[in-house]
Amino acid sequence: VKLVESGGGSVQAGGSLKLSCTASGDIYTNSCMGWFRQAPGKEREGLATIKDTGTTLYADSVKDRFTISRQNSDNTLYLQMNSLTPEDTAVYYCTANYFCDRLTYSKGVGSWGQGTQVTVSS
């Protein structure tokens, strides 16, 4: 599966961004698409996943600010991010064919995009 993220950029604290991810290839049923992020010097962190049925899973750190959505017709994934803080600064990655019941990063599982940089300034 090839994944291409877009929509990253620089924003001031309190602002919003919407990330997109287009997927081409085989997306397996009963698997999830999702968003992770990795800040410099930190491990990759799971943010949210979504099944093709619309069932979602969020990390506590973002569940009241971020919204994941998915357009099954063309396998496009979105992440609406509101009330951004400098702590949200990271490279954001899209994944497909991932677990649906966990947000821990498992290397070698799923397909991954190249990432898009999000920078939030205070």
Side-chain angles (χ1 to χ4, degrees), residues 54-102:
T55 301
T56 57
L57 176 67
Y58 286 95
D60 288 343
S61 59
V62 303
K63 65 181 179 181
D64 295 326
R65 301 184 297 124
F66 293 5
T67 302
I68 190 171
S69 60
R70 177 175 176 170
Q71 188 166 286
N72 291 328
S73 59
D74 59 1
N75 289 325
T76 302
L77 184 70
Y78 302 98
L79 186 69
Q80 176 66 47
M81 304 186 295
N82 299 326
S83 302
L84 287 162
T85 73
E87 288 69 37
D88 294 314
T89 295
V91 177
Y92 284 67
Y93 296 92
C94 168
T95 184
N97 297 329
Y98 202 76
F99 299 120
C100 294
D101 61 349
R102 70 199 74 170

Side-chain angles (χ1 to χ4, degrees), residues 21-33:
C21 172
T22 56
S24 56
D26 291 331
I27 303 296
Y28 303 136
T29 56
N30 297 319
S31 71
C32 272
M33 298 184 74

